[in-house]
Amino acid sequence: MVNAGTPPRSGPRARSVDPRNPHFVQDVYRAYGRWHADGQAFFWEEYGHWCFAGYETVDRLLRDRRFGRQVLHVATREELGWPPRPAHLADFDAVERHSLLELEPPAHTRLRRLITKAFVARQVERLRPQINALCHALIDGFEADGQVELLSAYATPIPLTTICTLLGVPVEAGPQLLGWSHAIVKMYVLDPPMGDQIAANTAARDFAGFLRARIAEKRADPGDDLLSALIAAEDDGETLSVDELVSTVILLLNAGHEATVHQIGNAMRSILASKLDPRGLFADAEATATTVEECLRHDAPLHMFTRYALEDMELEADGTMVALKKGDRIGLLLGAANRDPRRFADPDRFDPYRTGQANVTFGAGLHFCIGAPLARIELQEALSVLFARLPGIRFAETPRYADAYHFHGLERAVLGWR
C-alpha cells in the first residue's frame, strides 16, 4: 500500500518531471509512451499528488462521485491542514466560488440545471451558419497574402466572436475580454509567480465589473442572447444570482475560447503531419465529424484535470493500490489517456478512420464540458472551411508548443499555401 501523504521518493511509482521543462513540453507524448509502459499510476513529485494516465482509469475517476472538483463543502481548511487563502486573490476566488467547473452537488446540480435550460445543443446548432460565414470572412481577409499566423488571425477570432455574439457581449470588447482571459488562466499552471497571481486577481475584478454592468443592462432590456436567457432561466422558482451569472459567463468565455484556439492549432499540426488527403477527411458532414473527434483524441488542449478525494479511501488503479485521505488531490492526465495503447491501436497515429473512436478531452461525468456541442461545431466549420478554401495549405514554419504543460497548444502556427 502506498500512502499519498508519504509518497515513494524513488522507484516506478514516483516520478520527477518538471512540467515547465521545454524538452518535456515539446514532446509530452514521448513521455506518455514511457509512462504507459512503465506504470500508468504514479506520484508526480513536482505536483505533489498521484496522477493517472490510463484511459479506463481516467474515464472511471472522472465519473467517481467519491472525488470532486472541490472539497470544502465536506471539510474546512483547518480540518485539512490547509493555510488560509491569500488576501491578494480575493477577487479571483470570488469568481471561482460560483464557477460551475468548481462546484459539487447540490450546488452544482442546481446551477447546471439552470444553465442547461439556456445552453443546449439544439440552440448552439443554430449558430453553425454564422460560424461558417465568419470562417469565410476571416479567410477573405488573408487569402491573398499567401501566408498567415493562424492562431491570431483565425483560431482566436472564431470562438471569441462566437461566444461574444452568443452572450450578447459587444464583439468590439473582444480584445479586452481576451486580455482578462489570458491573465486568469495563468492561475491554472503549477506555482504561478506572484506577478501572474496579482494580474489574474485584477483581471477577475475588472471582468466581473464589466459583466455586472452588462447584466444590469440585460435585465432592463433583454435580448435574444444567452446572457438574457441565463438571467431569465428559472427552475422551481430559483434563478441565477448576479455572482453566479458573472462566474458562469467568465467560465464560458475562458473555457470556450482558450481550449478551442489551442485545439484548432493542434488539429492543423495533426492533420498536416499525417499526410492524409484533406479532401477525404472533410468530404461530408460525417467525415468532418469523425476527423474532428480524432483531432480531439490525438492532441488535446487540456492535459491535466484535478480532483479531490472527498473521503478516505483505498483506490485500485492500473494495478496499483493507493491510499488517499480526504482532501488529497489527484491528477487525471487527459492527453495521456487519449494515447493509451491499451485502449487505442497505434495510439500515436492520427487516424480518423479508426474504429471505436473515443476521447476524454471534454471530461466525463458531472463536469463534462457544457460547451462541448459548440466547440465541436466551431472545430468542424473552422477546419473544413480552411481546407476547402486553401487546399495547398502547409506549415511555413515548424510549429512549436508554447512552454506551458497544463494548456497544451502551439505558440505560433505560421501557414502558407503558395
Side-chain angles (χ1 to χ4, degrees):
M1 179 69 65
V2 181
N3 189 285
T6 55
R9 292 301 171 190
S10 62
R13 293 296 175 254
R15 294 197 178 114
S16 177
V17 178
D18 186 350
R20 293 159 296 203
N21 185 315
H23 297 292
F24 169 70
V25 171
Q26 295 303 320
D27 204 3
V28 293
Y29 296 111
R30 182 184 294 273
Y32 292 165
R34 294 195 301 269
W35 298 353
H36 285 306
D38 298 339
Q40 295 178 321
F42 62 94
F43 191 91
W44 195 332
E45 293 185 351
E46 281 74 9
Y47 281 101
H49 58 66
W50 280 86
C51 289
F52 304 94
Y55 183 92
E56 298 300 336
T57 295
V58 167
D59 185 61
R60 171 167 57 90
L61 294 180
L62 283 168
R63 305 170 192 274
D64 193 327
R65 298 292 293 274
R66 296 175 300 167
F67 294 90
R69 281 291 292 172
Q70 62 153 298
V71 68
L72 295 179
H73 61 303
V74 297
T76 65
R77 300 186 74 88
E78 292 76 13
E79 288 177 69
L80 297 170
W82 294 2
R85 285 289 289 174
H88 69 267
L89 290 176
D91 294 301
F92 174 83
D93 289 344
V95 168
E96 291 282 286
R97 191 172 300 121
H98 301 284
S99 172
L100 181 68
L101 183 61
E102 304 301 329
L103 292 175
E104 290 299 312
H108 177 275
T109 306
R110 169 187 165 274
L111 188 58
R112 187 165 185 126
R113 188 168 58 236
L114 285 165
I115 294 170
T116 301
K117 285 179 174 290
F119 196 79
V120 293
R122 66 178 177 274
Q123 290 177 323
V124 299
E125 178 63 35
R126 294 185 303 176
L127 294 170
R128 188 183 291 274
Q130 177 181 320
I131 295 169
N132 179 279
L134 174 60
C135 294
H136 280 288
L138 291 169
I139 294 172
D140 288 343
F142 58 70
E143 182 178 16
D145 298 335
Q147 185 169 293
V148 71
E149 198 294 294
L150 197 76
L151 301 185
S152 59
Y154 190 71
T156 295
I158 291 169
L160 185 60
T161 302
T162 300
I163 199 69
C164 284
T165 303
L166 180 64
L167 287 165
V169 175
V171 174
E172 310 82 67
Q176 180 62 79
L177 303 182
L178 197 60
W180 287 331
S181 175
H182 287 332
I184 289 171
V185 300
K186 287 183 179 179
M187 283 296 294
Y188 305 127
V189 303
L190 178 64
D191 297 330
M194 180 60 71
D196 286 353
Q197 294 183 40
I198 293 171
N201 192 70
T202 301
R205 180 197 65 209
D206 294 345
F207 206 158
F210 170 86
L211 290 173
R212 288 178 189 279
R214 295 297 302 172
I215 290 165
E217 292 173 9
K218 292 294 183 181
R219 284 195 192 280
D221 185 20
D224 183 19
D225 54 72
L226 180 59
L227 183 53
S228 296
L230 288 170
I231 292 169
E234 183 178 333
D235 189 76
D236 291 333
E238 291 191 78
T239 58
L240 294 168
S241 70
V242 173
D243 288 341
E244 289 170 336
L245 285 165
V246 167
S247 294
T248 297
V249 173
I250 289 177
L251 173 62
L252 290 173
L253 278 162
N254 287 355
H257 161 259
E258 295 282 344
T260 304
V261 172
H262 292 319
Q263 187 62 78
I264 291 173
N266 293 358
M268 291 300 296
R269 187 179 189 276
S270 295
I271 292 169
L272 292 176
S274 74
K275 306 298 185 184
L276 294 173
D277 188 344
R279 291 174 296 182
L281 301 183
F282 302 102
D284 52 32
E286 182 179 357
T288 297
T290 57
T291 296
V292 165
E293 290 308 299
E294 178 68 351
C295 290
L296 290 164
R297 181 201 71 83
H298 189 256
D299 201 2
L302 178 66
H303 276 226
M304 183 187 290
F305 190 79
T306 57
R307 305 193 78 195
Y308 291 101
L310 303 182
E311 60 188 58
D312 296 349
M313 71 180 80
E314 294 182 355
L315 176 68
E316 191 281 326
D318 300 314
T320 300
M321 291 297 296
V322 180
L324 297 171
K325 295 184 180 298
K326 181 192 290 187
D328 282 343
R329 180 181 286 186
I330 62 170
L332 306 179
L333 305 184
L334 308 181
N338 285 340
R339 296 283 191 106
D340 184 355
R342 294 165 177 79
R343 175 62 178 81
F344 304 101
D346 196 3
D348 293 332
R349 180 166 57 92
F350 178 78
D351 180 12
Y353 308 108
R354 68 173 65 245
T355 58
Q357 271 195 338
N359 65 76
V360 288
T361 298
F362 290 118
L366 283 176
H367 291 289
F368 180 80
C369 177
I370 199 167
L374 177 58
R376 285 188 163 106
I377 292 170
E378 290 172 331
L379 290 164
Q380 290 164 10
E381 294 302 317
L383 294 170
S384 62
V385 171
L386 190 67
F387 279 102
R389 290 286 303 273
L390 306 172
I393 199 167
R394 67 191 186 285
F395 276 105
E397 296 179 2
T398 301
R400 283 179 51 83
Y401 293 107
D403 286 334
Y405 169 66
H406 191 82
F407 284 108
H408 188 68
L410 304 181
E411 61 182 4
R412 281 167 55 83
V414 181
L415 294 126
W417 48 91
R418 285 181 179 168

